Amino acid sequence: MAKHETPFLDELENGPWPSFVSDLKQQAEVRAKNEKGVEFQIPQDCVDDLLGVVELSYKHGRTHWKHGGIVGVFGYGGGVIGRYCDQPNLFPGVEHFHTMRVNQPCGKYYSTEYLRQLTDLWDFRGSGVTNMHGATGDIILLGTTTPQLEEVFWTLTHDFNQDLGGSGSNLRTPADCLGTSRCEYSCYDTAALCHFLTNEYQDELHRPAFPYKFKFKFDGCPNCCVASIARSDMSFIGTWKDNIRIDQDAVNKYVEQDPAYPANAGAHKGKDWGPFDIEKEVINLCPTGCMKFENKELTINDEHCTRCMHCINVMPRALKIGKETGLSILCGAKAPILDGAQMGSLLVPFVEVNADNDYEEITEIIENIWDWWMEEGKNRERLGELIMRQGFQKLLEVTGIEAQPQHVAYPRTNPYIFWKEDEVPGGWERDVDEFRKHHLR
């Protein structure tokens, strides 16, 4: 029987959606029965007390957790998030209830054997409560005591060959989509690049030295399945620089509603969306209007294509990504902290991904950005906020990248263009003379 009454939390179990409250109640019951006979290393009723302290937070309208300060494993400054309850007399089972972040495998591929090992370890040395890949991407192990941290860390690294993830003002755990391992749309091997950068920057991952957090995320194509464009300081999004490949016979199969060619790759099979209309569902939804279908032939003005992927998603058997594939690098995305949410800004329109040279072009860009950010960034200032404060032109200067049309978000809203003196042969005096000659008649 539960120790604590939870009327506020009980309300969260109503409605059609799954509730974390139900999961916690189930785990509390499992620990109370302990049918496996596990010799728990932290209090058996810790999950029950967790429900109690969360209920009290709902009742009081404020948190009853206090940050644990410096708590972690030897040699690492990140990977452990210390939490202590400010009501230890009421909830002794969660007097300290630390979270450990574990570096997830690329593409989140697991064997069932590994998952059993991981959950058995956390049942033994933790609360048994996990959060598999929330916003951080990591495996989140929720709730253990300080003496168990080193024990869990030893088992992960020595027995499971698994490392902790990132927390604090450091490089956070890189995260990627399935990439070429499963997806026909992927333009580069996301797992290979994610694995390389994770190993390359171990110091930055485990020993916080940045002004604030920094995130890499890797999307194999512009569908952006890990939402890198919105959630990472540096996102790597697959793209192509040649033309979309068109199979005209397959296009007409879609138009003729051949049962073997369902739109949207056969998604939403249980719902009748009516007859397929290429004008309504593809042509008119192209954001740049670069497509037309005439005389049973689909044409695309690829110079205007922005790689939105909509047409490819709707007619995947008729349209394919180009063959000259690589990735784009965008910088500065973040969720609201100081100046509100912002999306990534395009820095490098196209990089040919090549593991043979150890991704040298990519690591050079990363390290130039970090040098600038660590020198100029304020405390708790994300890269995107520094770019807003000092300007995108400064980012181009520190990375040595020449300005390109793709860097322009929208045309200038005033007619004046200003040049630095060393950027124009002859200096500004010549420009003033030219301006007077042509415009002040």
Side-chain angles (χ1 to χ4, degrees):
M1 182 176 177
K3 288 168 49 181
H4 306 286
E5 297 293 328
T6 56
F8 286 98
L9 292 182
D10 294 344
E11 284 296 317
L12 298 179
E13 295 184 275
N14 296 327
W17 309 111
S19 171
F20 76 94
V21 176
S22 301
D23 291 339
L24 290 178
K25 288 180 177 179
Q26 181 182 4
Q27 178 63 11
E29 186 176 344
V30 166
R31 286 184 71 89
K33 291 180 178 178
N34 193 15
E35 293 174 346
K36 292 183 180 180
V38 176
E39 186 181 345
F40 298 127
Q41 297 300 296
I42 75 170
Q44 187 166 340
D45 58 355
C46 63
V47 181
D48 215 334
D49 277 353
L50 174 62
L51 287 164
V53 74
V54 175
E55 173 72 19
L56 191 64
S57 294
Y58 275 64
K59 180 179 179 180
H60 291 168
R62 61 182 177 84
T63 184
H64 284 287
W65 298 109
K66 54 183 180 179
H67 196 277
I70 299 175
V71 60
V73 297
F74 184 72
Y76 281 22
V80 177
I81 302 165
R83 286 199 179 91
Y84 292 90
C85 177
D86 68 2
Q87 302 290 327
N89 294 330
L90 293 176
F91 310 106
V94 292
E95 181 176 356
H96 32 149
F97 202 71
H98 309 313
T99 290
M100 300 187 77
R101 288 182 179 168
V102 180
N103 195 328
Q104 79 281 356
C106 293
K108 302 181 179 69
Y109 282 112
Y110 300 98
S111 67
T112 52
E113 179 186 7
Y114 173 77
L115 287 174
R116 286 194 184 99
Q117 289 177 332
L118 192 66
T119 53
D120 286 346
L121 169 65
W122 200 240
D123 280 337
F124 178 52
R125 297 199 179 278
S127 68
V129 178
T130 65
N131 174 359
M132 299 300 284
H133 316 301
T136 64
D138 309 73
I139 307 164
I140 306 295
L141 305 179
L142 287 158
T144 193
T145 58
T146 304
Q148 299 304 316
L149 295 176
E150 289 289 353
E151 304 291 345
V152 173
F153 178 59
W154 175 272
T155 304
L156 285 172
T157 55
H158 288 75
D159 297 341
F160 297 175
N161 195 29
Q162 192 76 26
D163 202 358
L164 294 187
S167 67
S169 295
N170 61 1
L171 175 64
R172 297 299 179 84
T173 317
D176 65 321
C177 70
L178 294 171
T180 51
S181 66
R182 289 290 300 273
C183 182
E184 63 183 302
Y185 299 153
S186 187
C187 300
Y188 72 101
D189 190 339
T190 56
L193 181 55
C194 181
H195 182 72
F196 172 81
L197 292 180
T198 301
N199 286 315
E200 180 75 5
Y201 296 119
Q202 282 292 293
D203 275 355
E204 288 75 16
L205 185 64
H206 292 308
R207 296 167 183 89
F210 290 162
Y212 201 26
K213 66 181 93 168
F214 194 97
K215 297 179 181 179
F216 291 144
K217 294 191 187 296
F218 308 87
D219 278 305
C221 78
N223 275 323
C224 221
C225 291
V226 295
S228 67
I229 196 171
R231 302 196 302 145
S232 62
D233 300 87
M234 200 164 185
S235 60
F236 303 83
I237 303 178
T239 188
W240 62 94
K241 64 178 181 180
D242 54 342
N243 296 338
I244 294 175
R245 291 173 282 165
I246 306 174
D247 182 338
Q248 298 292 351
D249 290 336
V251 171
N252 283 284
K253 293 288 187 182
Y254 281 104
V255 174
E256 295 161 7
Q257 299 169 51
D258 187 316
Y261 289 76
N264 300 297
H268 316 296
K269 289 182 179 178
K271 184 176 178 64
D272 181 10
W273 293 91
F276 177 71
D277 184 339
I278 191 171
E279 290 289 339
K280 178 181 177 182
E281 299 181 43
V282 179
I283 308 300
N284 294 343
L285 294 180
C286 176
T288 62
C290 70
M291 308 177 72
K292 65 179 180 179
F293 182 69
E294 295 178 349
N295 302 320
K296 294 189 174 183
E297 183 177 12
L298 179 69
T299 57
I300 302 175
N301 184 347
D302 286 272
E303 291 184 358
H304 291 175
C305 175
T306 57
R307 313 295 193 267
C308 78
M309 295 292 291
H310 174 72
C311 60
I312 297 175
N313 292 333
V314 175
M315 301 190 297
R317 297 182 65 179
L319 302 175
K320 304 287 185 184
I321 62 175
K323 291 186 176 181
E324 296 181 60
T325 58
L327 59 82
S328 298
I329 299 177
L330 294 88
C331 292
K334 66 179 183 65
I337 295 293
L338 296 181
D339 295 322
Q342 63 191 63
M343 304 284 271
S345 298
L346 182 66
L347 177 64
V348 184
F350 187 84
V351 177
E352 185 176 340
V353 184
N354 189 352
D356 295 335
N357 62 3
D358 286 339
Y359 306 104
E360 186 175 327
E361 184 176 356
I362 292 173
T363 56
E364 182 180 357
I365 293 169
I366 292 170
E367 290 165 21
N368 285 336
I369 289 174
W370 281 349
D371 287 344
W372 172 55
W373 181 49
M374 292 172 71
E375 182 70 26
E376 299 288 341
K378 299 178 181 178
N379 185 39
R380 295 180 67 83
E381 182 176 53
R382 296 284 290 272
L383 176 63
E385 290 155 345
L386 176 60
I387 294 171
M388 288 180 65
R389 183 163 61 85
Q390 294 200 357
F392 193 83
Q393 184 175 348
K394 183 66 176 179
L395 177 65
L396 295 178
E397 291 175 6
V398 300
T399 54
I401 296 171
E402 293 186 5
Q404 300 175 61
Q406 293 94 330
H407 291 142
V408 180
Y410 49 85
R412 290 182 67 91
T413 54
N414 69 66
Y416 299 105
I417 299 175
F418 301 97
W419 302 96
K420 293 182 179 178
E421 186 172 351
D422 59 357
E423 291 177 337
V424 181
W428 63 270
E429 296 95 342
R430 189 203 66 177
D431 294 334
V432 171
D433 292 339
E434 290 292 317
F435 180 82
R436 289 171 174 164
K437 182 188 302 182
H438 294 289
H439 299 286
L440 300 180
R441 295 174 179 172

